[in-house]
Amino acid sequence: MNDERTISGQTTMIWQDQARSVVRPIVRVMIMFSVGMSAALFLVWATSCSDDDWLLLRREPLAALVLAACDAWPFFAGCFVLVLVMLVGWYARGFSRVPEANRRIHYEATRHGLTTRDAANFALTVPWTSVVRVYNSDHTMQMVLVAGASRLVFWRAFAAEDRAQVLNWARQVKETEP
């Protein structure tokens, strides 16, 4: 197989693509929110509880935590739902404002890296050497980069026989240089 081959592909982003690309960031934010909110609600409960509740906290800490959770769950659940709806709305509004022409993505893959271009001819090149981890699914390939960022490639842009070659290039074993 020729190593200097260029594999090209083009696709247009749709709502399902937007959902696939934002699920992980939304889950991450919601987990951080849950941990922070739990700590904050417990501190509020602990500072405003009665003397009897403090004695219960010292005698039976687990029972006191259950009592705190029973007091705070409606507020916690309401804030959780509100933040979730706001995040989903934020991403949906942002995607709906992108013109149809800018949703078209063109990929060029070589043995050196992957170049992604949009309709405005803005290009982002990712060398394969900067790819740390590759997650492959039926619809997408997600590459985690050295800097911690990630890039999503939509498989429907490529022909079936080209997908395997692009995946092999992305997963290539990095040789250590002397």
Side-chain angles (χ1 to χ4, degrees), residues 89-104:
W90 177 291
Y91 282 117
R93 181 176 180 267
F95 185 73
S96 67
R97 295 184 66 183
V98 174
E100 185 69 28
N102 288 351
R103 293 182 189 175
R104 276 185 244 127

Side-chain angles (χ1 to χ4, degrees), residues 91-157:
Y91 282 117
R93 181 176 180 267
F95 185 73
S96 67
R97 295 184 66 183
V98 174
E100 185 69 28
N102 288 351
R103 293 182 189 175
R104 276 185 244 127
I105 302 172
H106 180 75
Y107 297 106
E108 290 178 2
T110 64
R111 72 180 178 98
H112 301 291
L114 177 75
T115 302
T116 306
R117 292 185 196 281
D118 64 4
N121 207 22
F122 177 77
L124 177 67
T125 301
V126 176
W128 298 127
T129 55
S130 68
V131 176
V132 176
R133 187 171 292 117
V134 177
Y135 298 103
N136 184 33
S137 71
D138 294 337
H139 303 286
T140 61
M141 173 180 68
Q142 181 180 8
M143 302 177 294
V144 178
L145 307 179
V146 173
S150 65
R151 296 291 303 159
L152 205 60
V153 177
F154 302 107
W155 279 135
R156 70 173 178 275

